[in-house]
């Protein structure tokens, strides 16, 4: 029953963001009832749970994991961790994805979260309802189906909902004219698991984001001939053997050839799209009154990229991109709890809507296209600090930004070796890095 006594919060998803939300809700038992966490699968970890299969799982549900077999993090563990729960010190700075999953499982056990998670449970609908005794006169009916209980549907009422369902599972397929004409193998990185099936093949890889670069490096090791097609400035770092750059693919001709923006043609055996993912919230479709819009990789209206101005007890956590994710979830969760406990008063709906619109328009005036408005990159630190100031929680220590930004610079200069670097944090401001010495050249 919402609105009576302590606040009840539903958390959708038991990935990193959902676990973080549950951990902090449990730490505030003076204000919050134990959370209810709904998880579609039978494991915690979200996108960090590797699944060898692609397509559908044993229950006929879409495989959510986009993890590939040999992935290692591109962010050092020293700044990737939640601020209150470091990775094991003996691990290298750039850990294999299995270590991240193990870390999240330890986090879950340490804070005793598992008993609050309802596994194999699909959230069907989230609807706002008027509730005079609810938080700001509002409550939420959450309807779920549990596949372990003869698929019966149950509706529970909550004071607030934290949506933590991630955004790395619904592949974005760009509207390339003539794409249906391509004669070879068309695939999205969501379904990429390892390089061996593409060994020795010609591949046009569209997209030079972190996944695209990572996969290009993997493919070079199995003698694939890779054309890295992208619309960014040409990369200036050394690329692996067999990898060359080209402009974006503009269209696919009737005979199946790919045409790049400069007019060059290619007829690869594989066209691999590393083009990112869509935001998808099917459970909110049952509440059109929310007016939540997902268009061109932007979710609106969300104050602070986080809460709905008209329904301020609905929070969508972790939609920002190009961020250091776990600390970002930590900061957003602290802010959410301060809003709900009243220690961080919100402006009026009208003021929040004005500020949200102004923020988006400011980014557009700076030349940021709509699809990149949620890409915070180096602005994430001011965003995190602003949340800390508003909500009164300790900001991230200064080394966090400096080490993260240094790694980003090393990655841009030394794509092939940056994951061999080893970092150490000395104090709240200082850190060090060790780079392996290149092996001496042998004389002929």
């Amino acid at each position: 029953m919402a609105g009576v006594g302590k606040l009840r919060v539903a958390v959708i998803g038991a990935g990193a963001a959902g676990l973080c939300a549950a951990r902090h809700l449990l730490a505030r038992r003076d204000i919050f009832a134990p959370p209810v966490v709904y998880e579609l699968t039978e494991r915690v970890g979200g996108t960090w749970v590797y699944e060898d299969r692609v397509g559908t799982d044993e229950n006929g549900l879409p495989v959510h994991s986009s993890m590939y077999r040999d992935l290692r993090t591109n962010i050092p563990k020293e700044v990737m961790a939640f601020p209150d729960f470091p990775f094991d010190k003996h691990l290298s700075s750039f850990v294999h994805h299995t270590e991240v999953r193990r870390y999240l499982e330890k986090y879950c056990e340490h804070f005793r979260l598992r008993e609050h998670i309802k596994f194999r449970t699909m959230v069907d609908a989230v609807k706002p309802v008027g509730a005079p005794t609810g938080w700001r006169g509002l409550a939420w009916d959450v309807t779920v189906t549990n596949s372990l209980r003869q698929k019966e549907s149950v509706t529970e009422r909550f004071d607030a909902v934290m949506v933590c369902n991630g955004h790395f599972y619904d592949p974005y397929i760009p509207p390339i004219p003539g794409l249906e004409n391509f004669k070879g193998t068309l695939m999205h990185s969501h379904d990429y698991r390892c390089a061996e099936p593409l060994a020795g093949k010609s591949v046009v890889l569209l997209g030079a984001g972190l996944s695209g670069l990572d996969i290009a490096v993997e493919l070079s090791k199995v003698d694939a001939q890779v054309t890295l097609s992208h619309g960014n400035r040409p990369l200036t770092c050394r690329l692996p053997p067999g990898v060359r750059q080209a402009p974006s693919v503009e269209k696919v001709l009737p005979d199946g050839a790919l045409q790049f923006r400069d007019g060059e043609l290619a007829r690869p055996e594989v066209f691999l799209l590393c083009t990112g993912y869509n935001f998808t919230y099917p459970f909110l479709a049952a509440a059109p009154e929310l007016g939540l819009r997902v268009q061109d990789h932007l979710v609106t209206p969300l104050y602070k990229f986080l809460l709905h101005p008209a329904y301020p007890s609905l929070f969508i956590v972790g939609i920002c991109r190009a961020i250091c994710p776990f600390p970002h979830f930590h900061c957003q969760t602290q802010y959410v709890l301060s809003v709900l406990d009243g220690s961080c008063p919100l402006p009026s709906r009208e003021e929040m809507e004005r500020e949200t619109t102004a923020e988006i328009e400011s980014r557009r005036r700076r030349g940021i296209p709509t699809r990149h408005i949620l890409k915070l990159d180096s602005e994430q630190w001011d965003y995190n600090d602003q949340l800390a100031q508003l909500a009164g929680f300790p900001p991230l220590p200064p080394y966090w930004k400096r080490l993260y930004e240094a790694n980003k610079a090393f990655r841009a200069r030394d794509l092939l070796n940056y994951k061999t670097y080893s970092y150490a944090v000395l104090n709240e401001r200082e850190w060090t890095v060790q780079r392996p010495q290149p092996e001496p050249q042998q004389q002929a």
Side-chain angles (χ1 to χ4, degrees):
M1 181 76 182
V4 178
K6 298 178 180 180
L7 296 176
R8 292 194 78 214
V9 180
V11 178
I12 301 176
L19 293 176
C20 180
R23 174 260 184 278
H24 289 287
L25 286 163
L26 277 172
R28 295 289 311 278
R29 290 179 184 257
D30 55 326
I31 301 290
F32 300 99
V36 178
V37 183
Y38 297 112
E39 169 53 40
L40 186 62
T41 71
E42 49 199 8
R43 293 169 287 193
V44 302
T47 196
W48 293 99
V49 178
Y50 175 75
E51 174 57 71
D52 205 38
R53 277 176 294 207
V54 298
T56 55
D57 65 13
E58 68 275 13
N59 301 308
L61 295 171
V63 170
H64 275 210
S65 177
S66 298
M67 193 63 50
Y68 38 99
R69 184 192 67 196
D70 297 330
L71 180 140
R72 288 165 62 208
T73 59
N74 51 53
I75 300 171
K77 76 177 195 303
E78 288 74 17
V79 290
M80 188 171 171
F82 293 116
D84 54 358
F85 197 77
F87 276 87
D88 290 342
K89 282 192 173 181
H90 73 273
L91 296 172
S92 61
S93 284
F94 296 89
V95 298
H96 189 257
H97 65 79
T98 52
E99 292 294 349
V100 181
R101 178 181 170 187
R102 193 171 293 125
Y103 167 85
L104 291 173
E105 287 172 342
K106 285 183 179 179
Y107 184 88
C108 181
E109 299 309 321
H110 180 81
F111 293 110
R112 300 181 179 177
L113 308 180
R114 192 170 295 275
E115 65 190 90
H116 304 286
I117 302 172
K118 296 190 175 183
F119 292 100
R120 298 273 295 274
T121 301
M122 177 178 284
V123 177
D124 301 311
V126 174
K127 294 182 182 179
V129 290
T133 60
W135 191 86
R136 285 198 167 195
L138 185 64
W140 297 88
D141 281 350
V142 178
T143 302
V144 302
T145 303
N146 189 300
S147 63
L148 298 176
R149 297 195 182 95
Q150 288 75 50
K151 297 193 174 181
E152 63 179 56
S153 288
V154 176
T155 299
E156 288 195 64
R157 184 159 289 189
F158 295 90
D159 293 288
V161 176
M162 295 179 71
V163 177
C164 303
N165 67 329
H167 53 89
F168 292 114
Y169 60 86
D170 183 28
Y172 170 67
I173 309 297
I176 300 171
L179 186 59
E180 68 280 2
N181 298 329
F182 182 66
K183 305 288 196 292
T185 301
L186 176 67
M187 63 184 293
H188 191 278
S189 57
H190 175 65
D191 293 329
Y192 173 86
R193 291 295 181 264
C194 59
E196 287 83 357
L198 305 183
K201 294 191 175 182
S202 57
V203 180
V204 168
L205 191 158
L206 181 62
L210 295 177
S211 292
L213 294 173
D214 224 20
I215 292 172
V217 172
E218 285 200 2
L219 293 179
S220 76
K221 295 175 183 176
V222 294
D223 297 323
Q225 297 304 303
V226 179
T227 300
L228 186 61
S229 166
H230 63 93
N232 306 330
R233 292 180 195 161
L235 299 166
T236 56
C237 61
R238 186 165 62 92
L239 294 175
V243 177
R244 72 179 189 96
Q245 297 183 74
S248 291
V249 173
E250 192 170 60
K251 59 185 174 182
V252 183
L253 302 181
D255 67 355
L258 307 184
Q259 181 174 310
F260 299 106
R261 204 169 47 207
D262 62 359
E264 181 189 353
L265 300 180
R267 291 178 171 81
E269 296 166 89
V270 180
F271 189 15
L272 176 52
L273 306 176
C274 296
T275 46
Y277 296 86
N278 298 306
F279 293 107
T280 177
Y281 308 104
F283 43 83
L284 295 178
E289 64 270 32
L290 293 176
L292 199 71
R293 296 184 298 279
V294 181
Q295 192 170 12
D296 203 7
H297 300 285
L298 178 64
V299 185
T300 56
L302 288 179
Y303 178 66
K304 304 296 182 193
F305 302 134
L306 181 57
L307 68 91
H308 197 306
Y311 299 87
S313 48
L314 174 68
F315 306 90
I316 302 185
V317 179
I319 65 168
C320 296
R321 294 163 44 229
I323 53 164
C324 196
F326 295 5
H328 181 80
F329 303 155
H330 170 89
C331 292
Q332 287 194 323
T333 295
Q334 299 290 334
Y335 176 78
V336 167
L337 269 59
S338 294
V339 166
L340 290 174
D341 73 14
S343 62
C344 179
L346 290 174
S348 68
R349 170 183 173 175
E350 293 73 23
E351 288 175 285
M352 287 192 283
E353 288 174 342
R354 274 198 303 270
E355 185 179 324
T356 299
T357 301
E359 174 68 27
I360 290 172
E361 290 309 313
S362 167
R363 289 172 178 263
R364 287 190 174 128
R365 283 195 301 272
R366 286 157 47 198
I368 299 173
T370 299
R371 69 182 185 276
H372 290 327
I373 282 174
L374 290 173
K375 193 175 179 181
L376 293 189
D377 204 5
S378 295
E379 295 180 19
Q380 65 181 298
W381 312 110
D382 287 342
Y383 172 87
N384 291 340
D385 286 348
Q386 183 188 56
L387 294 187
Q389 186 177 17
L390 288 169
F393 62 87
L396 298 173
Y399 77 79
W400 223 286
K401 171 183 176 180
R402 295 170 184 173
L403 198 161
Y404 178 93
E405 295 292 332
N407 172 63
K408 195 168 70 175
F410 292 147
R411 183 171 59 222
R413 292 202 303 261
D414 193 12
L415 176 67
L416 302 185
N417 300 302
Y418 79 96
K419 291 187 182 182
T420 63
Y421 295 11
S422 181
Y423 294 85
V425 175
L426 303 178
N427 53 48
E428 289 218 333
R429 305 188 72 84
E430 297 174 307
W431 54 273
T432 61
V433 60
Q434 286 187 321
R435 303 177 224 184
Q437 296 299 314
E439 292 183 13
Q441 297 287 323
Q442 290 195 354
Q443 296 294 321

